[in-house]
Amino acid sequence: MSGNNNDKSKIIPERKRTMLEVKNLHAGIEGNEILRGIDLKVGIGEVHAIMGPNGSGKSTLAQVLAGRESYPVSAGNVLYEGKDLLAMKPEDRAREGVFMAFQYPVEIPGVSNTYFLKAALNAVRKYRGLEELDAMEFLKLVKEKAKFVDLDEALLTRPVNQGFSGGEKKRNEIFQMAVLEPKLAILDETDSGLDIDALRAVADGINKLRSKENATIIVTHYQRLLNYIVPDYVHVLIDGRIVKSGTKELALELESKGYDWVKELADKVEMSA
Amino acid sequence: METKPKSPSSQPDIETLATGEYKYGFETAVAYDSVRKGLNEDIIRELWEKKGEPDWMLEYRLKAYRHWSKLEKAQAEPKWANIKYGPIDYDEICYYSAPKKMPKLESLDQIDPEVRRTFERLGIPLEEQKLLSGVAVDAVFDSVSVATTFREKLADLGIIFCSMTDAIREHPDLVRSNLGSVVPHTDNFFASLNAAVFTDGSFAYIPKGVRCPMELSTYFRINARNTGQFERTLIIADEGASVSYLEGCTAPMRDENQLHAAVVELIAHDRATIKYSTIQNWYPGDKEGKGGIYNFVTKRGKCAGKGSKITWTQVETGAAITWKYPGCILQGDDSVGEFYSVAVVNNHQQADTGTKMIHLGKNTRSTIVSKGISAGVAQNSYRGLVRIAKQATGARNFSQCDSLLIGDRCGAHTFPYMEVKNTSSRIEHEASTSKIGEDQIFYCKQRGLSTEDAVNMIVNGFCKEVFRELPMEFAVEAQKLLGISLEGSVG
Ligand SMILES: Nc1ncnc2c1ncn2[C@@H]1O[C@H](COP(=O)(O)OP(=O)(O)O)[C@@H](O)[C@H]1O
Ligand SMILES: [Mg+2]
């Protein structure tokens, strides 16, 4: 994974290469366009925050990037490491290093958390031409990564997300991320439902995973998480469009002025469109 | 079904998953010794003569046949099950078909090489040194048992494990006093038919206080065309004895339906335990519903003794139609009956399966865990009876019936019947129906798993409580089979 990146960065050492480029992306469900022309460029090593009120399309954007078939793309394109992301099956996107932490992690009864993750990791490794990890190697890795996000080890043997508290589910998502070591992590409202200690632990984990080799998109409608994870860029998503982009100061501005302030901007964008 | 150990690290059957075809569907060319097709008293006499059985067996068969023909004239097959199929012409079936080269087997080397190769292809090498050391196999090819391994080794402990044919010849008293004692020849239409025409099957007797040191297993293979397989299995565990028994089966792919009407009887004496596990993988028919085995089977165990225990575990993935209700008669006080079942139907398969727990003794307990999985346009019914007799004070039953639907053209149905005749007993019944969610599959895919692996994982998770009852190698096999059966069920 990172080995690959190292090779590439040797070729283009100076400039920040683009990892993800979203152009004029339109997507939605039948009869309802939710994303109405998204443009977004994420460079390698960068952290972007996407903020916006409830229902503005943040989760839809995250899921479309991850390949959810229930939100068909009607226009636009997405390049990921120079490849056509939208042409890839969801599992291939994952194997290529795209990870999404779900806003609502899904329960899989009867399947142990470790078993699930081992199957996932080995599927990813196999795709990348790496040896599958055996049970011992995997166990060692898992224990190490569980510490990383301060995950209760009892959760490892329990069925995936079943009966987990809201906070445990979110922690489990970041734990999976730590094991899978993605290049592009899209974190959808990972901060919601966390108490302050959990928030700190999760943010800590995310910060530790941050490197010059990968990129992170943090989706949130509170700026609270951004106190712990400082983004390079902040974008405001309203009604399926990015209406304003800026640096970390924008998040603070949003906090004090509220979304209504940018909503007016959005209306202006709408009128000019 | 295979009992061969596989290296766990190898890419598990990706190939089979991708093609999703029934990989046991080949046919073996062997010369047959058969009786002409059709069913009447002359044919039964002929069959009896061919098998060289004692007189009492002829009486038994004829008595059953006469009962069966009355039923046949009245209404033929029972009509209450939630299954549909055309009329079965019992005169078009051949009731005895044995590979010709069948000398009296002195050693396993004398098996017809074609038959041996068949079992090898199925992963059941009939040479003791090649077998898993912990499993003794009785291999039944069409109407006859072709080999039983580890007979001598087991005999040292006083355990009898042989074909039913040999048991009738060598242990007539044991067979005669137990045969039909749990499933009488009048029990039901298919049990009567079986009693009249059964040709082989397995017999096991575990003497007092002996724990059988290895898994006993029977592998059933239907090969001959237009032949029904009617096997009969009888397992007796004497006081304090214990045994674990495995059964597997396959058949070639054919356009016509073939009938498999087996009877299994288990008898557990005081404190004895019998664990009977089945992986049923008969040819299910093609995607359009053509061909496949009719699996009409009667299995019942009697917990005759105090504190005895019988556990049925079944994984039913094959057959065009499955009609079976492995049950327990809990006669001894404090006896325990358990039923763990996974039934998978895809395409046009139909299953009407469940159990009967008949509580007669005091403080008897039963547990039922049924997991039904339906895909394609298949129909899956759970049918279970829990009856607690007046004298069975303090009896307990717990039933859990879960259905999982894949897609929205299939169906799941639950028919629980409960009869409690005293006030000190308690029955608990839980049921649920769920669908494999698109969100679950997407979650798995987002972590790098393919659709097949995702479905496989979700389904195996759903079946976990049943799989953990299976012996280890069987559990692995069952998981793979499930994946193959459901191949292509999610877009
Ligand atoms: N499956 C769906 N069916 C109908 N409407 C949907 C569906 N998914 C999302 N939406 C609608 O799309 C809009 C954007 O949703 P979402 O992306 O979840 O917003 P956010 O994550 O920003 O809160 C909302 O109005 C939501 O109701
Ligand atoms: Mg959202």
Side-chain angles (χ1 to χ4, degrees), chain A residues 53-60 63 103-104 188-189 219 221:
Chain A
N54 277 329
S56 58
K58 302 183 299 296
S59 291
T60 305
Q63 304 215 32
Q103 179 172 4
Y104 304 108
D188 190 1
E189 308 274 6
V219 171
H221 72 275

Side-chain angles (χ1 to χ4, degrees), chain B residues 52-71:
Chain B
E53 293 173 347
D55 291 348
W56 59 268
M57 273 303 298
L58 180 62
E59 276 164 45
Y60 183 82
R61 290 177 183 283
L62 288 175
K63 203 165 52 178
Y65 171 72
R66 286 169 195 147
H67 183 81
W68 177 81
S69 33
K70 263 188 269 162
L71 295 177

Side-chain angles (χ1 to χ4, degrees), chain A residues 2-180:
Chain A
S2 54
N4 271 347
N5 275 333
N6 279 334
D7 292 346
K8 280 182 200 159
S9 52
K10 265 175 217 144
I11 304 166
I12 315 167
E14 296 293 278
R15 229 182 54 212
K16 269 188 185 165
R17 285 180 299 113
T18 304
M19 176 173 278
L20 182 79
E21 186 165 13
V22 181
K23 282 190 201 149
N24 189 34
L25 184 66
H26 289 254
I29 47 171
E30 214 171 308
N32 181 12
E33 188 167 71
I34 301 171
L35 302 182
R36 303 186 302 148
I38 302 274
D39 291 285
L40 178 68
K41 206 167 168 174
V42 178
I44 203 162
E46 293 174 353
V47 174
H48 289 240
I50 296 184
M51 303 186 68
N54 277 329
S56 58
K58 302 183 299 296
S59 291
T60 305
L61 175 60
Q63 304 215 32
V64 167
L65 292 178
R68 185 128 202 182
E69 282 104 348
S70 47
Y71 298 104
V73 172
S74 51
N77 58 61
V78 180
L79 287 181
Y80 167 69
E81 296 196 307
K83 282 171 279 200
D84 181 358
L85 186 74
L86 299 180
M88 290 183 216
K89 292 190 286 187
E91 59 268 37
D92 285 341
R93 299 183 198 195
R95 295 163 185 173
E96 289 281 352
V98 177
F99 177 93
M100 180 178 95
F102 284 60
Q103 179 172 4
Y104 304 108
V106 179
E107 300 182 1
I108 309 177
V111 177
S112 96
N113 215 7
T114 341
Y115 181 79
F116 172 75
L117 197 50
K118 179 162 178 257
L121 180 64
N122 279 336
V124 170
R125 290 180 65 93
K126 207 170 130 195
Y127 179 86
R128 297 180 187 169
L130 298 169
E131 284 271 307
E132 292 183 17
L133 291 189
D134 66 30
M136 289 309 287
E137 293 168 315
F138 181 74
L139 202 67
K140 199 169 148 251
L141 178 73
V142 152
K143 296 231 154 148
E144 177 192 314
K145 302 292 186 180
K147 275 206 199 86
F148 215 77
V149 287
D150 212 4
L151 186 86
D152 180 356
E153 280 197 18
L155 298 182
L156 294 175
T157 50
R158 289 202 0 214
V160 180
N161 291 322
Q162 207 181 25
F164 286 23
S165 72
E168 284 169 341
K169 284 184 183 171
K170 296 301 171 78
R171 234 184 253 238
N172 194 37
E173 293 291 285
I174 301 307
F175 162 65
Q176 293 186 15
M177 173 179 158
V179 172
L180 295 170

Side-chain angles (χ1 to χ4, degrees), chain B residues 6 63 73 132 134-135 140 160 163 184 193 199 241 247 261 273 279 297 310 354 359 371 467 472 478:
Chain B
K6 288 235 178 89
K63 203 165 52 178
K73 286 194 191 80
L132 275 182
V135 185
V140 177
I160 304 167
S163 69
L193 179 63
T199 43
E247 172 200 66
T273 65
I279 292 197
V297 169
I310 290 178
H359 293 251
K371 303 277 178 174
F467 285 171
M472 189 60 186

